[in-house]
Amino acid sequence: AQSVTQLDSQVPVFEEAPVELRCNYSSSVSVYLFWYVQYPNQGLQLLLKYLSGSTLVKGINGFEAEFNKSQTSFHLRKPSVHISDTAEYFCAVSETGFQKLVFGTGTRLLVSP
Amino acid sequence: NAGVTQTPKFQVLKTGQSMTLQCAQDMNHEYMSWYRQDPGMGLRLIHYSVGAGITDQGEVPNGYNVSRSTTEDFPLRLLSAAPSQTSVYFCASIRTGGFEAFFGQGTRLTVV
């Protein structure tokens, strides 16, 4: 069965510093990988996805992620964060249909001045 | 274009009461899903639908019923609410052939 692990429940960082949010997955078949962002009191919105092809994917708001099949990872990175990036970030995997996403437990990114 | 609309936004129920959480989308998406979000557990799939008249169970279906009589609507029913169902509920939809899930703003449910 597929699963997603986000080891960091909270990541504090200063504004303009780089950040990496870690995501590892397990699956017995090929998967599709996603990062979603949830701003306070909002629903989730798609940040970026890996479906196939290039392992480095770019998303909205300057975020990017790299799919590493050998390490079963899909870490999210941003070279310079802003206060407005403060939110909760969820890694998700799908192997049997996009309507059946399996989410990680989320990482709260806290950006301070 | 409203996207995915969930009502109500907040609800308090007493144990044993029933209620229906509403979800409507105006994007003509075939796929719709319900998730619950609990602290430290991320989002977990309750039920999903691949089209009108077709529903199936997700990871945590117990205590919840769904039906899909139209493409637009996908209500979630709690027949007899329990404190363990205190959570934030999200509805999502995806178009056929698409991959991006569009989420509603959530319903915060408290069962006392």
Side-chain angles (χ1 to χ4, degrees), chain A residues 34-86:
Chain A
F34 306 85
W35 276 98
Y36 280 83
V37 60
Q38 183 181 32
Y39 298 104
N41 300 314
Q42 299 285 323
L44 282 72
Q45 65 181 86
L46 182 66
L47 205 55
L48 49 77
K49 83 284 183 187
Y50 172 79
L51 303 181
S52 65
S54 174
T55 57
L56 182 63
V57 294
K58 294 187 184 298
I60 61 173
N61 300 339
F63 283 93
E64 63 181 31
E66 186 160 17
F67 170 60
N68 188 319
K69 188 174 182 179
S70 62
Q71 297 188 4
T72 60
S73 68
F74 191 54
H75 300 333
L76 181 70
R77 302 185 183 99
K78 187 169 183 179
S80 176
V81 296
H82 301 288
I83 296 285
S84 59
D85 292 322
T86 294

Side-chain angles (χ1 to χ4, degrees), chain A residues 2-9 22-26 32-38 44 74 88-94 100-108, chain B residues 35-45 59 103:
Chain A
Q2 52 189 324
S3 67
V4 177
T5 301
Q6 293 181 249
L7 287 174
D8 303 307
S9 60
R22 297 180 292 168
C23 172
N24 288 89
Y25 70 92
S26 66
Y32 305 110
L33 294 157
F34 306 85
W35 276 98
Y36 280 83
V37 60
Q38 183 181 32
L44 282 72
F74 191 54
E88 189 149 20
Y89 293 79
F90 292 93
C91 183
V93 63
S94 171
K100 295 187 290 180
L101 294 169
V102 174
F103 286 89
T105 52
T107 297
R108 188 172 299 276
Chain B
Y35 295 87
R36 60 178 288 172
Q37 182 180 22
D38 301 292
M41 302 191 75
L43 282 81
R44 292 178 292 167
L45 182 65
E59 181 186 358
F103 285 81

Side-chain angles (χ1 to χ4, degrees), chain B residues 47-62:
Chain B
H47 286 285
Y48 65 96
S49 169
V50 298
I54 307 170
T55 64
D56 205 346
Q57 297 180 350
E59 181 186 358
V60 288
N62 292 340

Side-chain angles (χ1 to χ4, degrees), chain B residues 37-108:
Chain B
Q37 182 180 22
D38 301 292
M41 302 191 75
L43 282 81
R44 292 178 292 167
L45 182 65
I46 305 171
H47 286 285
Y48 65 96
S49 169
V50 298
I54 307 170
T55 64
D56 205 346
Q57 297 180 350
E59 181 186 358
V60 288
N62 292 340
Y64 307 95
N65 280 351
V66 292
S67 61
R68 182 109 180 262
S69 57
T70 67
T71 298
E72 294 78 20
D73 300 299
F74 190 41
L76 179 72
R77 298 183 186 84
L78 285 70
L79 298 179
S80 179
S84 60
Q85 294 178 304
T86 294
S87 186
V88 181
Y89 292 85
F90 287 99
C91 178
S93 73
I94 304 175
R95 66 172 175 85
T96 306
F99 53 82
E100 179 176 358
F102 291 85
F103 285 81
Q105 294 208 328
T107 294
R108 185 174 296 273

